[in-house]
Amino acid sequence: MKIEMNIPQNVIEELIAQARQDAPCETCGYLLGTADGQVTENYPMENVDHSPEHFSFAPKDQFAALKYARSRGLKILANWHSHPASPSRPSQEDLRLANDPTIRYAILSLHEGVHLNSFRILGGAVVDKEEHL
């Protein structure tokens, strides 16, 4: 049974603000929430690449996010990042680097309006897409 991810408007607004603040570089973070797919918060993280075309998390930030989520009884539901100048779809690099089949990969695009989609990626291919904005 597929569980859809629900992102409340206040969290979407946080993602948009973070993406606009960090543009023209990509920004990133985790979406935390409950096992039934309800996102409760954004866990913003630094794009240590400081690049407009790709992003990387610092491993220490990833461990801190996991510790934070566990301490609050939350799960990491999605890895998210922004595309300041391209559509809300995974790039070839995004597909190559998406190696956790238990989470979704969300992309917030500021290109030609604001769009937020999330994807389930398995074996380097999109197997499911949800539109959130």
Side-chain angles (χ1 to χ4, degrees):
M1 179 178 86
K2 178 181 181 262
I3 297 174
E4 291 192 13
M5 187 169 66
N6 180 33
I7 309 172
Q9 188 62 37
N10 67 307
V11 174
I12 291 174
E13 289 169 12
E14 284 181 35
L15 303 183
I16 294 168
Q18 182 180 332
R20 287 182 172 152
Q21 177 181 325
D22 290 352
C25 291
E26 290 189 0
T27 194
C28 52
Y30 283 135
L31 295 177
L32 308 179
T34 57
D36 64 357
Q38 179 63 47
V39 172
T40 57
E41 63 186 282
N42 169 38
Y43 189 96
M45 300 214 292
E46 178 187 2
N47 174 1
V48 295
D49 292 341
H50 302 284
S51 167
E53 296 174 358
H54 53 88
F55 76 100
S56 293
F57 297 140
K60 67 177 178 54
D61 293 342
Q62 289 179 282
F63 288 120
L66 185 57
K67 184 177 179 181
Y68 174 88
R70 286 181 176 163
S71 74
R72 285 158 179 76
L74 301 174
K75 294 182 56 142
I76 295 173
L77 299 179
N79 162 330
W80 82 273
H81 70 281
S82 64
H83 280 183
S86 60
S88 176
R89 64 175 177 250
S91 67
Q92 290 296 13
E93 181 175 337
D94 294 335
L95 293 172
R96 184 175 58 78
L97 296 174
N99 56 16
D100 186 344
T102 67
I103 65 170
R104 298 190 68 78
Y105 292 85
I107 300 173
L108 176 76
S109 171
L110 300 177
H111 178 70
E112 298 179 354
V114 180
H115 304 278
L116 176 61
N117 298 311
S118 70
F119 307 87
R120 173 101 35 225
I121 300 172
L122 298 173
V126 171
V127 296
D128 175 63
K129 173 185 174 184
E130 292 178 8
E131 295 181 21
H132 302 283
L133 177 68

